[in-house]
Amino acid sequence: MDDLIKRAAEDLALANNVVALTGAGISVESGIPPFRGKGGIWEKFDPMEFAHIDAFMKDPAKVWNVLIKEMKDIVDTAKPNDGHLGLAKLEELGILKTVITQNVDGLHQDAGNTDVIEFHGNFAWQKCMTCDKRMETINVSMSQIPPRCECGGILRPECIFFGEMIPPNHLLRSRQVASQCDIMLVVGTSAIVQPASFMPVISKQSGAKVIEINPEKTPLTGNISDYLIMGKAGPVMKQIIEELEPLL
Ligand code: NAD
Ligand code: ZN
């Protein structure tokens, strides 16, 4: 693994347009469980019963009481870890340009990345379904379920539910940056959820290197990605930055 970390540092030192694609895995070390797999949220909840837009529209209180409340408790207090901070450092060094994320926790922005394309929106904000007024999730009181705006409208998170569309402009921009980068860094995503998982394919087809960081193999491994650094996002990103800085 150390050899691959050195290799990644050397590759990144030569690059000047790096794009990162991140998934739930990068936030695991911040205490936010992924949806799938061991310890994942879907072991506890049926996504169709709680995370589909139809379920929310039918019974907002039920979805607020279970899924949204649980996510709010976690996201309100979560802090960026070395994985997020490493990507922010790469931006500060002028190497990384854009983060495309499937996450809704807002931790990339908290870490300092300034160009974050959020495929699935952001859970850190709520919006009134009647008047569109926005409110930070952390400031939403749970004394009334579902929480309401001062106009009486029901609040909903600014992330997308199953059954809702990824904003087309986000998709368009992602395709654009994915096709223009010289390295695509894929961190903590199982790469099975389309269309995000297609972004590394676009990069590869456009001549970029694709580097994966994940404790597990993914469908990209040995196929789309040039190499996989098999480890946790936090320690791996930290070591990459340590190896990279003397090379600049
Ligand atoms: P996923 O749950 O399908 O896969 C998570 C991946 O992270 C796996 O490949 C796993 O091996 C890897 N992983 C686990 N621990 C890791 C670590 N410490 N470092 C690096 N990688 C690690 O996640 P997904 O592919 O992102 O898709 C699930 C969907 O769930 C996303 O679309 C996202 O919107 C949503 N989601 C978001 C959050 C969040 O905002 N933090 C949390 C859960 C789910
Ligand atoms: Zn309102």
Side-chain angles (χ1 to χ4, degrees):
M1 185 167 99
D2 285 353
D3 281 355
L4 287 179
I5 286 176
K6 268 208 174 76
R7 184 170 162 194
E10 285 162 11
D11 285 342
L12 289 165
L14 295 173
N16 50 34
N17 184 355
V18 174
V19 169
L21 171 71
T22 68
I26 197 170
S27 295
V28 166
E29 292 158 75
S30 293
I32 306 179
F35 278 175
R36 290 173 191 76
K38 228 175 66 211
I41 293 177
W42 297 152
E43 277 184 347
K44 283 207 271 185
F45 306 123
D46 171 3
M48 288 307 140
E49 196 184 340
F50 290 102
H52 197 284
I53 185 62
D54 295 346
F56 184 77
M57 296 309 274
K58 204 171 117 209
D59 193 348
K62 176 176 161 184
V63 175
W64 260 104
N65 260 323
V66 179
L67 182 65
I68 306 182
K69 182 174 178 301
E70 165 129 353
M71 282 181 70
K72 176 171 158 48
D73 286 346
I74 298 171
V75 173
D76 278 357
T77 53
K79 299 267 179 303
N81 65 56
D82 285 338
H84 305 100
L85 295 173
L87 293 182
K89 185 74 190 173
L90 279 183
E91 177 178 327
E92 196 189 312
L93 294 170
I95 295 173
L96 182 134
K97 301 293 185 237
T98 304
V99 178
I100 305 169
T101 188
Q102 301 166 82
N103 296 343
V104 295
D105 52 37
L107 292 180
H108 287 302
Q109 292 90 326
D110 288 354
N113 283 111
T114 58
D115 187 24
V116 183
I117 304 175
E118 294 174 307
F119 255 42
H120 298 155
N122 193 328
F123 186 81
W125 288 85
Q126 304 285 326
K127 191 162 82 180
C128 170
M129 299 208 322
T130 306
C131 75
D132 278 352
K133 189 174 167 201
R134 300 171 77 228
M135 191 191 251
E136 261 192 287
T137 305
I138 199 163
N139 296 328
V140 171
S141 155
M142 297 295 284
S143 58
Q144 170 185 234
I145 300 283
R148 289 179 187 269
C149 167
E150 54 200 22
C151 83
I154 292 173
L155 296 180
R156 63 155 290 169
E158 276 198 339
C159 51
I160 61 171
F161 285 97
F162 284 111
E164 291 189 296
M165 249 181 40
I166 292 174
N169 54 332
H170 292 194
L171 195 54
L172 198 68
R173 241 204 103 224
S174 296
R175 286 173 183 275
Q176 227 166 38
V177 297
S179 68
Q180 289 164 354
C181 64
D182 41 27
I183 295 182
M184 163 68 80
L185 201 53
V186 184
V187 191
T189 172
S190 57
I192 50 176
V193 185
Q194 286 280 15
S197 57
F198 195 60
M199 299 304 140
V201 179
I202 294 178
S203 301
K204 184 73 176 179
Q205 285 171 347
S206 313
K209 268 192 186 137
V210 177
I211 306 173
E212 271 188 286
I213 301 174
N214 197 311
E216 315 262 346
K217 288 185 182 170
T218 79
L220 303 175
T221 310
N223 159 28
I224 297 299
S225 61
D226 289 77
Y227 50 99
L228 161 70
I229 305 176
M230 230 170 168
K232 293 184 175 179
V236 169
M237 279 309 302
K238 189 162 187 266
Q239 282 184 60
I240 289 179
I241 299 292
E242 279 165 14
E243 294 279 344
L244 169 68
E245 283 191 302
L247 301 177
L248 298 175

